[in-house]
């Protein structure tokens, strides 16, 4: 089973942003993923027009897709554009669940209104209930990262409530295979709550990699992450689409 992950599209109505998204989706379609998840920051301007345009493009992949908001998304317009797919009845939180023939993705809305950081605490009761409801292999996705990245100046805007989120994941035992996010516009791999933890690259322009005060040139193309599940194992791959 292949779960494709996009993040940080930042559509704003401009051709350049849609061209980057189209490039990634053109690469992805022949792979025929079983599902597609988008870990936030779909749009940042002209929301009324850009959300439907993003949805139209995601639909061309011809697989189920699931989205959660990021810190620059507009919850009202996002619910208007996607709510019929996920049964959203209020503007917050915009959580989502996708059942995929013996596998499951759960997207949690950890955004905080008018803030760049996130907070998992408001959705943890819901998440715990859903994890306990069906004990099938699960990949959790969200926007802000609940773990340190080591990237200078990026961990000011983490997802708060990380310890409590970790406790919910640990209580679910082997049900949760991993957690993945976006937000920092860079791919990375670490661990969280004893599970695989990843961050997808961005569709829009990548941020520079700054570690221990040392800069790097920004040469990353738009990209995506592919999560492959087989024989009980989750393996994640990063793809840059030049």
């Amino acid at each position: 089973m292949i779960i494709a992950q996009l993040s940080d599209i930042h559509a704003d109505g401009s051709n350049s942003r849609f061209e980057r998204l189209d490039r990634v989706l053109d690469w992805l379609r022949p792979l025929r993923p079983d599902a597609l998840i988008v870990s936030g920051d779909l749009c940042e301007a002209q929301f009324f027009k850009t959300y439907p345009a993003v949805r139209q493009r995601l639909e061309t992949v011809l697989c189920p897709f699931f989205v959660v908001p990021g810190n620059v998304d507009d919850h009202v317009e996002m619910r208007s554009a996607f709510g019929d797919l996920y049964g959203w009845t209020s503007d917050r939180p915009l959580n989502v669940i996708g059942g995929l023939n013996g596998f499951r993705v759960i997207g949690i809305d950890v955004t905080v209104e008018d803030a760049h950081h996130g907070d998992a605490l408001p959705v943890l009761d819901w998440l715990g209930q859903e994890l306990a409801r069906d004990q099938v292999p699960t990949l959790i996705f969200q926007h802000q990262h609940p773990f340190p990245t080591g990237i200078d100046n990026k961990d000011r805007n983490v997802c708060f409530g990380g310890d409590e989120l970790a406790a919910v994941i640990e209580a679910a035992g082997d049900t949760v295979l991993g957690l993945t996010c976006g937000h920092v516009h860079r791919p990375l791999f670490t661990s969280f709550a004893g599970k695989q933890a990843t961050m997808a690259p961005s569709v829009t322009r990548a941020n520079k990699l700054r570690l221990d005060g040392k800069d790097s040139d920004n040469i990353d193309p738009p990209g995506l992450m592919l999560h492959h599940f087989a024989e009980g194992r989750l393996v994640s791959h990063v793809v840059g689409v030049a």
Side-chain angles (χ1 to χ4, degrees):
M1 177 172 292
I2 300 172
I3 309 299
Q5 180 186 359
L6 306 186
S7 197
D8 298 277
I9 300 167
H10 285 263
D12 60 2
S14 68
N15 288 335
S16 62
R17 300 290 174 89
F18 283 130
E19 286 171 358
R20 293 176 73 92
L21 175 59
D22 290 340
R23 195 187 315 170
V24 171
L25 294 179
D26 286 346
W27 182 91
L28 178 61
R29 285 188 203 96
L31 198 63
R32 294 179 296 170
D34 297 282
L36 170 63
I37 59 177
V38 186
S39 49
D41 280 2
L42 284 72
C43 301
E44 67 176 26
Q46 299 189 32
F47 300 105
F48 179 76
K49 295 189 296 184
T50 51
Y51 282 121
V54 169
R55 173 172 172 170
Q56 183 179 35
R57 284 166 165 80
L58 297 180
E59 288 173 342
T60 67
V61 184
L62 301 180
C63 70
F65 61 89
F66 307 94
V67 305
V68 293
N71 54 287
V72 302
D73 282 305
D74 182 297
H75 279 62
V76 175
E77 294 296 346
M78 190 169 176
R79 177 190 169 198
S80 177
F82 294 96
D84 62 304
L85 297 177
Y86 313 125
W88 289 337
T89 58
S90 62
D91 296 330
R92 285 182 182 271
L94 300 181
N95 300 321
V96 65
I97 298 178
L100 304 168
N101 189 26
F103 190 84
R104 175 177 58 180
V105 294
I106 296 182
I108 55 175
D109 178 2
V110 298
T111 59
V112 177
E113 191 169 5
D114 298 324
H116 291 294
H117 71 271
D119 188 355
L121 293 179
V123 298
L124 290 187
D125 286 345
W126 176 86
L127 176 61
Q129 292 169 6
E130 294 302 327
L131 290 174
R133 190 187 311 276
D134 294 302
Q135 296 180 356
V136 297
T138 300
L139 175 64
I140 297 173
F141 68 103
Q142 60 188 68
H143 185 61
Q144 288 95 339
H145 51 294
F147 46 77
T149 66
I151 300 175
D152 296 351
N153 298 321
K154 293 302 180 183
D155 290 334
R156 296 174 299 177
N157 296 318
V158 298
C159 175
F160 296 173
D163 289 344
E164 291 84 355
L165 173 59
V168 171
I169 292 173
E170 289 166 353
D174 294 334
T175 297
V176 178
L177 297 177
L179 177 144
T180 192
C181 61
H183 189 47
V184 178
H185 296 207
R186 294 212 58 83
L188 62 81
F189 300 82
T190 185
S191 61
F192 179 76
K195 309 293 183 180
Q196 169 184 310
T198 54
M199 179 180 291
S202 61
V203 172
T204 194
R205 186 175 184 271
N207 286 322
K208 286 187 175 183
L209 180 60
R210 295 185 175 97
L211 298 174
D212 297 338
K214 302 170 185 176
D215 247 346
S216 67
D217 290 332
N218 181 9
I219 58 174
D220 294 21
L224 71 158
M225 185 166 277
L226 298 173
H227 305 280
H228 183 232
F229 178 68
E231 299 180 351
R233 181 185 298 274
L234 185 69
V235 179
S236 299
H237 304 261
V238 173
V239 178
V241 184

